[in-house]
Amino acid sequence: MAMAQVGKPRICWGVKRGRRFVCGELVTDEAIIKEVKGLINGLKERIERHRDKLGTAAFIDELINLFEQWLEEHKNDRGRRVREARKIAREMIKLLRMLRRRWVETYWRQLLELMDLLEKNAIDIVVTGKITARSHSWYTYTTGTWLLR
């Protein structure tokens, strides 16, 4: 799959190939191009604003701490529903710890790589469906194509 040339982003309509979308016809509608660029700029701003928390996985640590605090506060509570809630909280802590490990080892680096590709305009942006301020989804593929639906 071809990647966009550095310095010239390619925004195109998605064409389904197997389970993935690839670039089809280039998007020429200026409103859609403007919306895509606005979404990308918003993403860049949010990542920069929260870079410290994202880079250290502090946002995940905060969630783990909340669950641990709740467990401590309710360790002597009895009742079937509280026992079920404690079981769920312990499972959430386990899942959050797994997420934290994966975030630190993999996802943060991948997000930085994506941001670098966006900064260099070295990534294809595939658009499917209607792009509106209220309804959109983002998909990333390791092939250098970015899907926006």
Side-chain angles (χ1 to χ4, degrees):
M1 181 176 302
M3 284 181 48
Q5 297 175 341
V6 174
K8 189 174 184 181
R10 189 165 74 149
I11 302 172
C12 53
W13 290 108
V15 176
K16 190 97 167 175
R17 293 262 167 80
R19 295 185 318 184
R20 294 187 176 201
F21 285 91
V22 297
C23 268
E25 184 179 329
L26 289 177
V27 173
T28 56
D29 184 329
E30 286 300 319
I32 292 175
I33 293 169
K34 183 179 178 181
E35 182 69 24
V36 168
K37 288 180 178 180
L39 291 169
I40 292 169
N41 288 334
L43 175 64
K44 288 178 183 179
E45 289 170 11
R46 284 184 189 96
I47 289 173
E48 276 308 309
R49 189 175 336 128
H50 301 289
R51 191 176 198 89
D52 291 340
K53 282 187 172 189
L54 293 171
T56 62
F59 66 104
I60 299 171
D61 293 335
E62 290 172 7
L63 291 171
I64 291 170
N65 290 339
L66 284 172
F67 277 110
E68 288 175 338
Q69 180 183 349
W70 186 89
L71 282 171
E72 181 62 29
E73 290 171 1
H74 295 278
K75 68 181 179 184
N76 296 322
D77 292 352
R78 301 290 176 237
R80 186 177 58 84
R81 288 189 178 169
V82 174
R83 281 194 312 270
E84 290 173 7
R86 282 198 305 261
K87 183 178 177 182
I88 292 168
R90 285 191 295 273
E91 185 64 22
M92 289 301 300
I93 290 169
K94 180 177 146 186
L95 292 171
L96 285 165
R97 286 185 176 143
M98 285 174 32
L99 172 62
R100 187 190 195 294
R101 188 181 75 250
R102 288 181 182 156
W103 178 263
V104 170
E105 292 174 0
T106 306
Y107 303 147
W108 176 238
R109 180 181 42 79
Q110 289 177 341
L111 182 59
L112 292 176
E113 289 171 7
L114 173 63
M115 297 311 297
D116 185 52
L117 290 171
L118 285 170
E119 196 64 38
K120 293 176 182 175
N121 292 321
I123 194 165
D124 293 334
I125 301 168
V126 178
V127 178
T128 66
K130 259 187 169 173
I131 303 298
T132 66
R134 294 186 183 149
S135 173
H136 58 274
S137 299
W138 304 64
Y139 298 88
T140 59
Y141 298 136
T142 57
T143 57
T145 299
W146 201 28
L147 177 65
L148 178 61
R149 179 170 69 173

